[in-house]
């Protein structure tokens, strides 16, 4: 009886095992067919006669996103996208070093509120951009870097200038992707552009292997042997290469949406705004510090300025917010920031973080109620467990928050004696600077006097490109931008752009700028040419 039961069990197990084995084999075959693109090729054919190339898809997406400038140092890996961009009216600006191309794209991003774009060749071309990409990450600039790469089948096989580029840029960029098929160019670039501007803005990187950029006939010539190979292995390899080529170009020219994707920009909740309104309504000595994030889209600078004026709270301006209120505005306090922060009973840190610029939060008084708003949650709470504590921490867009704050306060005003006290401290500090400027020096120049002369002679349409540590720190006290988006500095990334480069021959004069300053200047120069012709804004460099 036991033998019969064992025999029956063995007989029932065998069909189940065979069924499982067959199912596993079928699943493996289907998975392999999917990876090889066989199913996709059944529905989407390859136009082998077309002379179009992937560079046209790249250019179409850039054009649809309003990109006007593409900064580069020309290389064979990326030539098709440069040619296609120029045909669509995108101005291709060739630089002398790849790091300058990315710094220039950074400048365009900061000044226009759109994504700045740079394209460089593979390997050393890309590694040369790391400094500028890191600076864009720290400065929260939406920059798109397009990088050439070895062909999809030649990566990790010792191809020319082939390195693991994705691993290099993943810690720096919000979004990294390597395009593997021509049809993937458009959706990948759209996703990258949206990622660069969503949340906390920052740099993104898209790798474009050479065989997704060049036309079919050129890739076929390099990839598939001219003569049919002999032998089973040779024919198998030939089939694999031909299938890879077909999958590379299948559906390449089918219409796809090219325009911008919706952006994910965090907003303060109505409850948070209301709590902040209540805190500020009870303040007697309110103070606001505005940073670069306040100038991010979607709030235009003129609307933000009007909101700050309506709010009527004395404010300090830093980063790209410098110049928001123009020159000599009564609400703009420029000197003695640490002292003012200690005296304020309510402090609004709008797009500002408690890093070294605010002594890691030590300049804030423990008796002050701190409202901080920032798109980035981690940055917003930096050092809050050590030197300071927020009363309200609001993750959201800074400009939109200020507009809602003004709406909630409905024209409330504060006693003028607080603003007058801060203005008087300003005047005393400026008198101290005038006395320092008048002091004779044994040799060289008095830097305070130099900066005062710059302030006195600076045209109203000037844009300042500044770098140089302590010298720029002094310039921030003495030189006033004449309007919003007219001050370009390294932001907290000061010290990253130390490569030296000669001035572009388009600029009159001689001398040398830091790598970052040269790049920012190049981007600004091209932007002013594109916007204003020969009558664009004046360019002034302040460097140590």
């Amino acid at each position: 009886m036991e033998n019969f039961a064992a025999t029956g069990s063995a007989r029932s197990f065998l069909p189940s095992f065979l069924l499982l084995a067959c199912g596993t084999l079928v699943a493996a075959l289907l998975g392999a067919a999917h990876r090889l693109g066989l199913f996709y090729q059944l529905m989407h054919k390859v136009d082998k006669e077309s002379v179009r190339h992937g560079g046209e898809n790249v250019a179409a997406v850039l054009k649809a996103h309003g990109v006007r400038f593409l900064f580069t140092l020309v290389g064979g890996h990326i030539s098709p996208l440069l040619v296609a961009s120029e045909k669509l009216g995108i101005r291709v600006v060739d630089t002398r070093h790849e790091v300058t191309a990315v710094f220039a794209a950074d400048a365009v991003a900061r000044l226009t509120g759109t994504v700045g774009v740079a394209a460089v060749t593979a390997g050393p071309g890309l590694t040369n951009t790391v400094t500028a990409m890191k600076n864009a990450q720290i400065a929260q600039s939406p920059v798109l870097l397009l990088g050439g790469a070895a062909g999809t089948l030649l990566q990790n096989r010792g191809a020319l200038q082939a390195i693991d580029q994705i691993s290099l840029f993943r810690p720096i960029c919000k979004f990294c992707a390597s395009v593997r098929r021509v049809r993937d160019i458009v959706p990948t670039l759209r996703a990258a552009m949206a990622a660069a501007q969503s949340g906390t803005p920052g740099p993104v990187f898209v790798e474009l292997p050479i065989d997704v950029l060049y036309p079919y006939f050129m890739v076929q010539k390099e990839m598939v042997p001219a003569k049919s190979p002999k032998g089973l292995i040779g024919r198998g390899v030939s089939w694999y290469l031909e299938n890879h080529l077909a999958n590379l170009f299948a559906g390449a020219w089918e219409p796809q949406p090219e325009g911008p994707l919706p952006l994910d920009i965090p907003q303060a909740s109505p409850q948070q705004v209301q709590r902040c309104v209540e805190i500020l309504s009870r303040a007697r000595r309110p103070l606001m510090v505005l940073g670069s994030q306040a100038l991010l889209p979607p709030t235009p600078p003129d609307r933000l300025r009007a909101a700050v004026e309506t709010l009527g709270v004395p404010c300090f301006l830093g980063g790209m917010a410098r110049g928001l209120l123009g020159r000599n505005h009564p609400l703009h306090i420029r000197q003695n920031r640490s002292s003012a922060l200690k005296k304020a009973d309510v402090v609004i840190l709008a797009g500002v973080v408690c890093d070294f610029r605010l002594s890691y939060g030590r300049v804030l008084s423990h008796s002050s109620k701190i409202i901080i708003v920032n798109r980035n949650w981690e940055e917003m709470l930096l050092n809050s467990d050590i030197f300071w504590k927020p009363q309200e921490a609001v993750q959201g867009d800074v400009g939109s928050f200020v507009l809602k704050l003004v709406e909630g306060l409905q024209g409330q005003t504060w006693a003028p004696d607080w603003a007058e006290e801060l203005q008087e401290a300003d005047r005393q500090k400026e008198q101290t600077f005038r006395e320092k400027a008048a002091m004779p020096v044994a040799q060289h120049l008095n830097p305070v006097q130099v900066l005062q002369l710059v302030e006195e002679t600076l045209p109203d349409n000037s844009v300042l490109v500044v770098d140089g540590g302590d010298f720029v720190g002094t310039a921030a006290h003495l030189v006033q931008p004449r309007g919003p988006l007219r001050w370009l500095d390294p932001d907290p990334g000061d010290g990253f752009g130390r490569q030296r480069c000669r001035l572009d021959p388009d600029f009159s004069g001689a001398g040398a700028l830091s790598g970052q300053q040269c790049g920012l200047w190049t981007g600004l120069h091209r932007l002013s040419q594109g916007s204003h012709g020969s009558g664009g804004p004046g360019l002034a460099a302040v460097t140590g």
Side-chain angles (χ1 to χ4, degrees), residues 273-313:
V273 173
Q274 183 57 37
R275 288 196 297 268
C276 294
V277 166
E278 292 172 1
I279 292 170
L280 194 57
S281 66
R282 294 191 290 267
R284 296 177 59 84
R285 298 185 304 280
L287 192 64
M288 183 160 59
V289 185
L290 285 163
S292 295
Q293 275 197 20
L295 272 294
L296 291 175
T299 305
D302 55 346
R303 280 197 69 193
L304 180 62
R305 172 176 176 156
V308 171
E309 290 177 329
T310 302
L311 190 61
V313 173

Side-chain angles (χ1 to χ4, degrees), residues 41-53:
Q41 292 175 52
L42 291 174
M43 303 296 295
H44 306 270
K45 301 302 180 183
V46 178
D47 186 356
K48 298 181 180 181
E49 305 301 320
S50 175
V51 295
R52 294 185 63 183
H53 54 81

